[in-house]
Amino acid sequence: MLLRTTRSLHLRLWVVIGMACLPVFLMSFFDYRERRQDAITALESEVSRMLTAARLTEDAALRSMQQTFRIMARADNLQSLDPQDCSGLAQRLLQSMEDFANLGAVLPDGTVFCSASPNSGRISVADRVWFQDALASDGITSGEFLLGRISGKPGMVFGYPVRDGQGQLKAVLFASIQLGWFDKLIAEFKLPEGWNAFLLSDTGTVLSYHPAAGRPSQADQEPAGAAPFLRALKEGRRLSELEGLDGNRRMYGIGAPRFSKTPLLVAIGAPLDRTVARIDQGFWWRILLMAGIALVSALTARFYIYGLIESWTGQIGAALDKVAAGRLQTRIRKFSRVRELHAVELGINHMASELQKRDADLRRLSTAVEQSPEAIIITDTEARIEYVNDAFVRSTGYARDEVLGQNPRILNRGLTPPATYAALWSALKSGQPWRGELVNTRKDGSTYVEMATIAPILDEDGQVTHYVSTKEDITQRKQSEALVHQLAYYDALTGLPNRALLREHLRQAVEASAQGTAQGLLLLIDIDRFKQINDTRGHATGDWLLREMARRIQGCTGTADTVARLGSNTFGIIVPDIGGPSDLAQDIARNVHQSLAAPYDLGDAKRLYATTSMGIALFCAGMPTPDNLLKQAEVALYRAKDEGGNALLFFDAPMQAAVDARAALEMALRDAIEVQAFRLFYQVQVDQRGAVVGAEALIRWIGADGKVVSPADFIPLAEETGLIVPMGQWVLDTACRQLARWQRESATRHLTLAINVSARQFHQADFAAQVRTALERHRLDAGRLKLELTESVILGDIETTIQRMHQLRELGIRFALDDFGTGYSSLSYLKRLPFDQLKIDQSFIRDMLTDNTSNAIVRAILVMSDALGLEIVAEGVETAAHRAFLVQHGCQFCQGYLLGRPVPIEDWEAAHLSAPAPADQSSATP
């Protein structure tokens, strides 16, 4: 950038004064030009007027001459062509024509036969131009300047043809004008003093000059003096400022006589020195006066202004020097009374204040940069390091002196991918910041990962001057992320991928198979009776077994295969390409199964045998999604376990049909719960005398087609999916509503109603509150409501079960143990749990008359219940012999198809409440 040369205040002051005076001088100059132009314009007008008057005089002379020619042509003296008569006529006419030199006539052959001036001898003018022009014309010809052959003097000759009636030329009249005519014409203009006028020939000869006293002599006359006039005439310039023949410069009007064929020039000049000179002189006097005034004003202004600002500039310079030296607290204290200078002082103070603030900001920024926990590097555009902070020194182990001037690539040992640097420089060259991870090496050789942000620094013109980089050491974070990734996608015990990662690899394998012809395999492995191994051998052995099985499975698979642990004792294998037909999948699975079936050496001569169940699903192009594929393998695995374990099964269509049927049933069941598409069917219960004492409420599902769905189909599904809880709530509320109807009538007030409660529903934390709410809503006598529980309810947390049963007993609820004898019934449980009834399972009732074992069990239950003070209800009573045997051995209540099938409440009441009940039945309690 070029520095402009400084100039002194004196020079600038003189320039300002000059610029201030310039308009005045310009105004004077333009006024002078205008006045001078006005004077010249007036002269031009006057000269033009005189030229115009000369032309008018010329026209008058031509008219007079033409009238004379016509008079002479019609005269009889001319008709006879008599020389004496014609000459006499010419003389008489010449006397009346002032300034004409001669008048006469010429025969067609050019011989002068008539002349007002006497002539001697025969004179011919056949060679004259005016004569030749007259022969070819019908009017007066243009004049020809020549030396007369009759008078011997120069003059202007005109011709005029005379023709007879047939147009034949009879004679040519002529007239000549002396040069004195021009002198007289100019004299009539009465030119003012200093003016002049003259007539020039085309050769520059002066033919006439006025005033005569100023006419140059023939010896002094030079053609070069007339050249400018001839040139102006040729160029058509009627007015020109030229130097006259006498050497004086004038404004000349230039013209040519129109009646002359010979080129002539008439010039009339007006003097410039008497008009324009005075104007010029006045102009220069004004210029001198204004220059003097300007000089005096400039000297005065210079002295005042310089004296005013001399001390001020010293003060300002000293203040600026202090600010430049870093003393930013410097301020101007003594202010000037000149507003503009005061503004500068305030501006300097403001500048110093802003610089002080910025200096403080820069110091804070510098401190923040220097003390930043992140490494900061500043380089030039050639990537040479110019600055690093303490964090960089601590992070890399390099001292500042070791890296200044170096390229940051000293930290790069090739661990960062080249694509990263390509993206970095691509962003920086486009003027954009870049952010990414770099793997660098410290001075001691250790590697670390840092998150770097590199951005260009631009100047005011948008040009990159430096690069700044902030770097954060994220080595620990990356290690933590790797650990989190390991924990999220890998099993901590075996180091195998977990279920989430297996699903991702399965998705990739399915997508790859969809692009080609390869057939893949998904194999799920579950350890049979793994809980028993943990319980008998200990969890440490169980963990060792899992690790050993993982090792064996990996030994049976290839590098492209995936082995994962999906759950507690479940493994998964993905083979993206089995390498041939589907039969090879059987070989792969059998190989794994046999490897896992081999005994496991526990040391100390101890061996562990473990069996596995396997489910296999194949996939290729057009096969199910990864989620469905995983479900298919799980279905095959569960089927293998249901068949006793230690087996491997391939998923097939029937399995899919069963899965689809189960899914459809679950969806329909959920819809049924939503719309409450259930009904309660009631099965009668009677005492030993056959009197109706109550009923058991059994839920029935009426399908969309109007058919009843078997409870054996949907109850287990409801238990498994948890839908049994909302179903149980509906049963509880509906049963309470029906029991409330019975209790409002005296004829049915004695009836009891039993409902089944599932283990999942019973163990809901708010189950007791639900029962209490239902009782309060329907205002029931809780003693007529009986909850039937299976042994699965009381297994597990026995203490919680006892506590909840007592809570419900406090409400008046009674309990019955359903399906007694089919499970692991414990007499200690019967002693501790507050049951009121036992219900003998129908499997014993059905065979008790033909099977001694069933008979013995039924009688034992009857004796035991009597000893424990528990009532007995026998289920599945289908024949009179069954009922007679039960009554004979002390069974209080019976229930079964013999007495009545489960039916809707309307049919139940119609069948069992139409006959009056026995008198003592109200005391019976089923």
Side-chain angles (χ1 to χ4, degrees):
M1 181 178 179
L2 296 177
L3 296 176
R4 294 184 298 176
T5 304
T6 59
R7 296 180 177 89
S8 68
L9 181 62
H10 301 79
L11 178 60
R12 294 180 181 273
L13 180 60
W14 282 112
V15 170
V16 171
I17 293 174
M19 293 179 64
C21 295
L22 182 60
V24 178
F25 283 97
L26 288 176
M27 291 176 61
S28 298
F29 174 72
F30 288 128
D31 177 65
Y32 155 73
R33 284 189 58 186
E34 184 177 359
R35 294 175 61 187
R36 192 175 190 279
Q37 187 62 37
D38 290 344
I40 292 174
T41 302
L43 288 176
E44 290 176 349
S45 266
E46 185 65 19
V47 171
S48 296
R49 183 186 65 78
M50 292 183 178
L51 284 176
T52 301
R55 289 196 182 96
L56 293 176
T57 304
E58 177 186 341
D59 292 341
L62 283 176
R63 287 195 300 271
S64 175
M65 186 185 303
Q66 187 171 15
Q67 184 178 4
T68 302
F69 281 147
R70 289 175 180 174
I71 294 173
M72 188 174 179
R74 289 194 297 267
D76 294 338
N77 305 70
L78 185 61
Q79 296 298 325
S80 62
L81 298 179
D82 182 80
Q84 292 182 356
D85 290 342
C86 178
S87 297
L89 176 60
Q91 291 175 356
R92 291 192 297 273
L93 291 175
L94 183 61
Q95 292 176 359
S96 62
M97 299 175 65
E98 190 175 359
D99 297 324
F100 275 74
N102 194 12
L103 185 65
V106 181
L107 295 175
D109 60 359
T111 303
V112 178
F113 76 93
C114 174
S115 174
S117 297
N119 60 336
S120 61
R122 181 177 180 274
I123 298 174
S124 174
V125 295
D127 58 337
R128 300 292 194 182
V129 176
W130 61 265
F131 175 76
Q132 296 172 0
D133 290 342
L135 295 179
S137 66
D138 293 330
I140 190 170
T141 66
S142 297
E144 180 183 6
F145 180 78
L146 47 77
L147 184 65
R149 292 178 177 173
I150 297 176
S151 63
K153 297 179 180 180
M156 185 76 65
V157 181
F158 299 87
Y160 182 83
V162 179
R163 302 181 188 277
D164 58 13
Q166 286 75 32
Q168 294 297 322
L169 182 66
K170 294 179 62 179
V172 175
L173 303 182
F174 67 89
S176 64
I177 300 177
Q178 296 178 352
L179 292 179
W181 180 83
F182 292 99
D183 295 336
K184 183 178 179 181
L185 173 62
I186 293 173
E188 290 179 353
F189 291 157
K190 298 180 180 179
L191 297 178
E193 184 181 354
W195 288 56
N196 74 349
F198 52 84
L199 179 67
L200 292 178
S201 67
D202 56 349
T203 61
T205 303
V206 178
L207 303 178
S208 178
Y209 192 92
H210 182 83
R215 179 170 183 166
S217 64
Q218 191 69 26
D220 296 335
Q221 182 179 338
E222 296 181 4
F229 295 91
L230 297 175
R231 186 166 51 252
L233 177 63
K234 183 178 181 181
E235 294 174 358
R237 290 185 281 124
R238 297 182 66 250
L239 293 170
S240 294
E241 185 176 339
L242 300 172
E243 185 178 342
L245 300 180
D246 57 357
N248 295 322
R249 196 167 188 81
R250 294 181 177 84
M251 178 63 67
Y252 281 96
I254 302 171
R258 288 183 292 181
F259 54 66
S260 173
K261 190 168 186 178
T262 301
L264 298 176
L265 181 146
V266 177
I268 301 176
L272 292 174
D273 55 350
R274 302 197 179 185
T275 54
V276 177
R278 287 194 298 270
I279 296 174
D280 292 345
Q281 185 179 11
F283 167 72
W284 288 112
W285 276 111
R286 285 195 297 272
I287 291 298
L288 290 174
L289 178 61
M290 286 188 291
I293 295 174
L295 180 59
V296 173
S297 301
L299 292 175
T300 303
R302 183 262 176 204
F303 176 79
Y304 174 75
I305 293 176
Y306 190 75
L308 176 67
I309 66 175
E310 185 175 11
S311 61
W312 180 83
T313 53
Q315 179 186 1
I316 295 300
L320 291 176
D321 289 340
K322 292 178 181 179
V323 172
R327 297 166 60 184
L328 301 180
Q329 71 278 9
T330 302
R331 299 292 185 272
I332 296 175
R333 307 299 180 184
K334 184 178 179 181
F335 294 104
S336 172
R337 289 179 294 175
V338 179
R339 182 169 58 251
E340 291 77 9
L341 301 183
H342 181 62
V344 174
E345 294 164 345
L346 294 178
I348 293 175
N349 284 349
H350 180 69
M351 176 192 69
S353 177
E354 289 299 317
L355 288 176
Q356 191 173 16
K357 291 179 182 178
R358 294 186 182 184
D359 181 70
D361 292 340
L362 288 175
R363 290 179 184 275
R364 285 193 295 269
L365 178 60
S366 176
T367 302
V369 170
E370 191 63 32
Q371 299 179 4
S372 172
E374 296 183 354
I376 298 177
I377 307 173
I378 299 177
T379 71
D380 60 14
T381 55
E382 300 298 327
R384 290 186 292 266
I385 297 176
E386 294 186 356
Y387 170 82
V388 295
N389 66 348
D390 288 342
F392 176 87
V393 174
R394 292 193 302 269
S395 177
T396 64
Y398 286 98
R400 279 191 174 90
D401 295 340
E402 293 177 306
V403 297
L404 292 180
Q406 299 292 328
N407 192 293
R409 68 170 62 97
I410 62 174
L411 304 175
N412 178 21
R413 302 293 174 83
L415 301 178
T416 301
T420 301
Y421 289 105
L424 183 155
W425 283 110
S426 175
L428 295 181
K429 288 180 180 179
S430 63
Q432 301 298 320
W434 176 86
R435 180 175 175 83
E437 295 181 4
L438 300 174
V439 183
N440 286 330
T441 304
R442 297 184 178 92
K443 183 179 179 180
D444 61 7
S446 61
T447 61
Y448 64 103
V449 183
E450 57 186 3
M451 176 60 69
T453 300
I454 306 176
I457 301 176
L458 308 179
D459 60 12
E460 295 178 353
D461 299 327
Q463 299 298 317
V464 177
T465 60
H466 293 81
Y467 296 105
V468 60
S469 173
T470 59
K471 298 182 177 182
E472 177 188 3
D473 189 340
I474 60 171
T475 305
Q476 293 184 353
R477 189 174 77 188
K478 296 294 288 187
Q479 294 173 348
S480 300
E481 290 176 353
L483 179 60
V484 170
H485 183 270
Q486 179 72 22
L487 295 175
Y489 293 102
Y490 290 88
D491 175 50
L493 179 64
T494 63
L496 296 177
N498 61 11
R499 187 182 188 90
L501 190 55
L502 178 130
R503 291 169 66 91
E504 176 61 22
H505 287 186
L506 182 60
R507 181 188 64 80
Q508 296 174 2
V510 171
E511 291 179 354
S513 67
Q515 305 298 325
T517 59
Q519 183 172 223
L521 172 147
L522 173 63
L523 172 63
L524 297 185
I525 306 169
D526 190 84
I527 305 173
D528 298 331
R529 293 175 294 279
F530 183 70
K531 184 178 183 301
Q532 184 179 352
I533 295 174
N534 275 332
D535 293 342
T536 57
R537 301 281 188 170
H539 287 281
T541 301
D543 291 345
W544 177 87
L545 177 62
L546 291 171
R547 289 192 293 269
E548 182 64 18
M549 281 194 171
R551 185 187 64 79
R552 291 187 182 186
I553 295 172
Q554 287 178 313
C556 297
T557 57
T559 56
D561 303 335
T562 299
V563 179
R565 183 186 177 201
L566 277 67
S568 173
N569 59 324
T570 305
F571 294 91
I573 302 175
I574 301 174
V575 180
D577 186 359
I578 63 176
S582 302
D583 295 343
L584 292 178
Q586 183 80 20
D587 297 338
I588 295 173
R590 186 177 295 110
N591 182 35
V592 175
H593 189 264
Q594 291 174 355
S595 176
L596 297 179
Y600 297 87
D601 188 2
L602 299 178
D604 297 332
K606 294 181 180 179
R607 289 182 137 190
L608 175 65
Y609 291 89
T611 61
T612 57
S613 299
M614 298 184 181
I616 308 165
L618 301 176
F619 60 89
C620 59
M623 296 301 287
T625 62
D627 289 341
N628 288 337
L629 191 64
L630 188 59
K631 290 179 181 178
Q632 291 176 358
E634 289 174 344
V635 168
L637 174 64
Y638 297 151
R639 180 65 62 86
K641 293 186 74 67
D642 290 344
E643 293 182 359
N646 195 24
L648 58 91
L649 291 178
F650 282 82
F651 179 84
D652 54 17
M655 291 184 189
Q656 183 65 52
V659 171
D660 293 342
R662 183 184 182 281
L665 183 63
E666 180 181 348
M667 185 63 67
L669 182 59
R670 292 183 183 276
D671 293 340
I673 293 174
E674 183 73 21
V675 299
Q676 295 185 354
F678 302 106
R679 293 191 66 181
L680 284 184
F681 278 36
Y682 298 81
Q683 188 172 26
V684 67
Q685 294 178 342
V686 300
D687 60 9
Q688 293 176 340
R689 295 177 297 120
V692 176
V693 295
E696 180 182 3
L698 302 170
I699 188 171
R700 294 294 183 265
W701 174 15
I702 310 302
D705 55 358
K707 295 181 180 180
V708 178
V709 181
S710 173
D713 293 334
F714 73 85
I715 291 298
L717 179 61
E719 290 276 5
E720 182 181 347
T721 59
L723 296 176
I724 195 68
V725 174
M727 287 174 55
Q729 293 175 352
W730 179 85
V731 170
L732 174 63
D733 189 71
T734 305
C736 288
R737 184 183 303 109
Q738 180 59 44
L739 189 58
R741 288 181 59 247
W742 284 348
Q743 291 183 0
R744 286 195 293 269
E745 303 293 336
S746 58
T748 56
R749 189 173 297 135
H750 66 285
L751 298 177
T752 63
L753 187 59
I755 61 173
N756 293 281
V757 177
S758 70
R760 179 169 292 194
Q761 183 182 7
F762 182 82
H763 288 295
Q764 293 290 309
D766 61 343
F767 177 68
Q770 293 178 15
V771 174
R772 180 185 296 107
T773 301
L775 294 176
E776 293 175 352
R777 181 166 57 249
H778 298 288
R779 300 178 182 179
L780 286 182
D781 176 8
R784 298 298 177 180
L785 179 63
K786 182 169 53 177
L787 303 182
E788 295 186 1
L789 308 178
T790 62
E791 292 184 13
S792 62
V793 175
I794 62 177
L795 295 178
D797 190 357
I798 184 64
E799 299 300 331
T800 302
T801 302
I802 294 173
Q803 180 182 4
R804 185 155 299 161
M805 290 181 69
H806 281 293
Q807 290 176 351
L808 295 171
R809 282 298 296 266
E810 291 176 359
L811 299 176
I813 301 297
R814 303 177 70 239
F815 293 98
L817 180 58
D818 199 8
D819 300 333
F820 183 76
T822 59
Y824 298 95
S825 299
S826 173
L827 296 180
S828 63
Y829 287 169
L830 292 178
K831 181 179 179 181
R832 296 181 61 190
L833 295 172
F835 283 110
D836 299 286
Q837 284 184 347
L838 296 179
K839 296 188 73 174
I840 304 175
D841 187 71
Q842 60 182 346
S843 62
F844 300 117
I845 302 299
R846 183 174 57 249
D847 299 332
M848 68 181 179
L849 299 180
T850 58
D851 181 70
N852 292 332
T853 302
S854 297
N855 185 286
I857 291 175
V858 170
R859 284 187 295 166
I861 291 175
L862 290 172
V863 173
M864 181 192 64
S865 62
D866 182 62
L868 294 175
L870 299 176
E871 297 175 347
I872 292 293
V873 178
E875 293 183 303
V877 178
E878 298 180 354
T879 65
H882 288 159
R883 183 170 184 273
F885 177 85
L886 291 169
V887 171
Q888 179 184 354
H889 288 84
C891 180
Q892 293 96 334
F893 306 102
C894 293
Q895 176 182 343
Y897 284 174
L898 174 65
L899 305 172
R901 291 176 177 273
V903 293
I905 187 61
E906 298 83 2
D907 298 339
W908 188 92
E909 290 180 344
H912 301 295
L913 298 182
S914 58
D920 60 346
Q921 70 180 358
S922 62
S923 61
T925 304

